[in-house]
Amino acid sequence: PFATVFGCSDSRVAAEIIFDQGLGDVFVVRTAGTVIDPGVLGSLEFGVEVLGTPLIVVLSHTSCGAIRATLEAVATRQLPGGFLRDVVERIAPSYLLAGSTAEPTPGEVGRAHLRHVVSLLAERSRAIRYAVERGDLAIVGAGPIGCCAVAVARAAGARQVFITDIRPYRLALATRMGADRVLDSTRED
């Protein structure tokens, strides 16, 4: 695989489709809310150390159910039960980091969470941190904060790049960045 892709299990587009790759061409790790736990770190380290991928792409998306669950927990001051609580607790710091307003929007929390997750990878994993320090690995975030996915996919040799979003200005930006096709996920399957 040319990249390890870490994304949310709630995302409606598979990483292989985004990067126009076949199964096994990218190593994919997905969790609800793109939260980091020991199993995720071990999987990402496997991608870097065993498979030798030189790139970790952290994907985010709009309308994330885990972000919504976190916002609801903050608003009601009640944590959900079961292991969903663990997901919400891992996203909650991003709510605080979004902090530009008293009540950040889901988009603001999502953007803060993407930045937070990217920074946590090298902080929490010695193997990932050393690979970055040696220049063997790059970590990038791609999601609503920009169309980094287009540039990464092109650099990795993708023949075609498809981008989905629900905001017309982001779709226009993706087109300007070189996406072959942009899809409004509220209007097209």
Side-chain angles (χ1 to χ4, degrees):
F2 71 85
T4 296
V5 180
F6 177 38
C8 181
S9 55
D10 182 33
S11 179
R12 286 156 280 297
V13 179
E16 293 85 358
I17 293 171
I18 292 172
F19 295 107
D20 188 30
Q21 299 296 309
L23 296 175
D25 293 335
V26 290
F27 181 64
V28 180
V29 179
R30 292 174 78 154
T31 62
T34 319
V35 298
I36 297 174
D37 65 19
V40 167
L41 288 174
S43 297
L44 295 172
E45 287 179 356
F46 180 84
V48 172
E49 292 189 315
V50 177
L51 300 176
T53 60
L55 178 66
I56 294 177
V57 178
V58 181
L59 293 176
S60 84
H61 66 101
T62 56
S63 303
C64 179
I67 298 287
R68 279 195 314 273
T70 302
L71 292 172
E72 182 178 325
V74 170
T76 64
R77 297 182 182 265
Q78 289 191 341
L79 288 168
F83 286 99
L84 179 54
R85 177 183 180 143
D86 187 60
V87 173
V88 167
E89 288 175 342
R90 290 173 192 267
I91 295 173
S94 300
Y95 179 92
L96 299 173
L97 292 170
S100 65
T101 62
E103 291 187 35
T105 66
E108 290 170 329
V109 175
R111 289 186 293 277
H113 188 58
L114 176 63
R115 290 188 301 270
H116 187 60
V117 168
V118 168
S119 70
L120 284 177
L121 292 181
E123 179 184 312
R124 301 263 170 99
S125 168
R126 182 179 307 158
I128 290 172
R129 181 174 55 255
Y130 288 162
V132 169
E133 289 171 356
R134 287 191 313 268
D136 295 335
L137 176 68
I139 304 171
V140 298
I145 63 168
C147 293
C148 177
V150 176
V152 171
R154 289 285 181 221
R159 293 179 308 277
Q160 292 186 316
V161 179
F162 296 88
I163 297 293
T164 64
D165 205 298
I166 61 170
R167 307 224 190 269
Y169 74 91
R170 288 187 189 145
L171 294 170
L173 177 60
T175 300
R176 287 196 308 274
M177 293 288 294
D180 294 290
R181 178 142 188 242
V182 295
L183 304 165
D184 181 336
S185 57
T186 63
R187 298 177 193 199
E188 299 180 63
D189 288 332

